[in-house]
Amino acid sequence: MRHIIFYLLLIIPFISPAQSESEIRKHYTDVNKKITESVEHGFEGPLYNNHWVTNKNGRSWPAVGIYNEITDFWYDDPPDHLPAAERNPKNVLLKINVSCKSSHLMAGEEYLFKDGKLLFFYLHEGEEGTEWETRVYFNNKGVAFKSNVKANGKELTAKDFLTEEYKDFKPNPANIMVRAKKLQDLFVKSM
């Protein structure tokens, strides 16, 4: 009997439900709805927003020319704050939106979080008549379990990523996690 209990305790972490795509989509929809409400209702909205602008006056950026970046941190920090010792600021961050204009390139990134963990990454880029979309889904353990890339409306396959034309479009979940962590740390430092 002890052996059975021991083995059950060993397997429970592996059989616990991982974040599914449908759960992530629902969370994404809920957070976007709260963001819309917050924009419409201002200070009475359900979420808080830290809005950062890089190169606000639009001056020529060294080695780039036109450059402007806007980063929005959307978070929920209820009025009944936890004591500082019990509070983890990473857990209140729900979404980061980054929009960037650099010469002819327009890019928008979204990072969706839940309980301090990255669940979803979305990137939309457009330049001179071409556009790319990348979606990467992460489970509760921070491992990418699904990705989807479209170039000019065509969904790319694993075979496409081997070609010279599309090899740079293959998502790199490790790099996405590093960027998300840097942005998340930036948010925490701003609090």
Side-chain angles (χ1 to χ4, degrees), residues 176-190:
I176 293 168
M177 290 295 281
V178 166
R179 170 105 163 113
K181 175 96 173 89
K182 283 181 183 177
L183 288 168
Q184 188 181 44
D185 290 345
L186 198 58
F187 166 74
V188 170
K189 288 176 185 174
S190 74

Side-chain angles (χ1 to χ4, degrees), residues 57-106:
N57 295 325
R59 294 192 52 131
S60 182
W61 201 258
V64 178
I66 298 171
Y67 181 79
N68 177 268
E69 184 174 285
I70 298 171
T71 306
D72 283 299
F73 298 95
W74 291 97
Y75 61 101
D76 181 10
D77 200 1
D80 57 335
H81 296 289
L82 293 172
E86 298 174 26
R87 189 168 174 263
N88 183 352
K90 287 182 182 180
N91 292 346
V92 300
L93 181 62
L94 295 172
K95 190 171 181 192
I96 301 171
N97 291 341
V98 180
S99 61
C100 177
K101 182 177 182 182
S102 174
S103 295
H104 296 289
L105 177 68
M106 301 286 285

